[in-house]
Amino acid sequence: LELVGYLTRADTAAPTPLVLLVHGGPWHRDTWGFDGSAQWFANRGYATLQVNFRGSTGYGKSFLHKGDGEWGVGAMQHDLTDAVRWAVGEGIADAANVCVYGGSYGGYACLAGLAFTPELY
């Protein structure tokens, strides 16, 4: 499944710590434009990755319903895990310095990430 995400990087080509910033909802989405949190992290040397995982709005009803019943240990969480692994594999993120952050559903996804993939964060 192809996903849309937004990557904000610090002013460096070297791998940096990464913040996976998970949007709330989950029936919401991240959009192109200024994001104060992402800019704040970048200003302090972190890359910020915001992923519109399956179940996010704005990509059609089929994409929205791909998130049905997929919270926590399901495909929605796997989308976030895969995004972090992509960033590490591309040399964007330092694998030893990755965190997950969010509110509402994003907070739930943080807890699920820490519980089910603690080696990643």
Side-chain angles (χ1 to χ4, degrees):
L1 181 66
E2 189 170 305
L3 302 174
V4 173
Y6 301 98
L7 176 65
T8 305
R9 296 188 73 180
D11 188 20
T12 179
T16 61
L18 175 73
V19 177
L20 176 64
L21 178 52
V22 186
H23 67 70
W27 304 288
H28 187 61
R29 68 179 286 191
D30 287 308
T31 57
W32 175 255
F34 179 81
D35 184 291
S37 295
Q39 291 299 315
W40 189 83
F41 287 127
N43 178 264
R44 282 144 182 84
Y46 295 82
T48 304
L49 183 58
Q50 299 166 271
V51 179
N52 287 318
F53 45 83
R54 70 189 77 210
S56 300
T57 59
Y59 300 98
K61 192 176 273 192
S62 174
F63 188 82
L64 178 72
H65 288 297
K66 287 185 187 312
D68 293 352
E70 298 296 332
W71 294 32
V73 296
M76 290 167 70
Q77 195 69 34
H78 297 306
D79 290 345
L80 299 173
T81 299
D82 291 344
V84 169
R85 289 185 176 142
W86 169 84
V88 169
E90 291 293 313
I92 295 165
D94 172 7
N97 291 293
V98 177
C99 79
V100 57
Y101 162 73
S104 185
Y105 175 78
Y108 174 81
C110 290
L111 290 174
L114 295 172
F116 300 115
T117 52
E119 71 286 352
L120 198 59
Y121 304 106

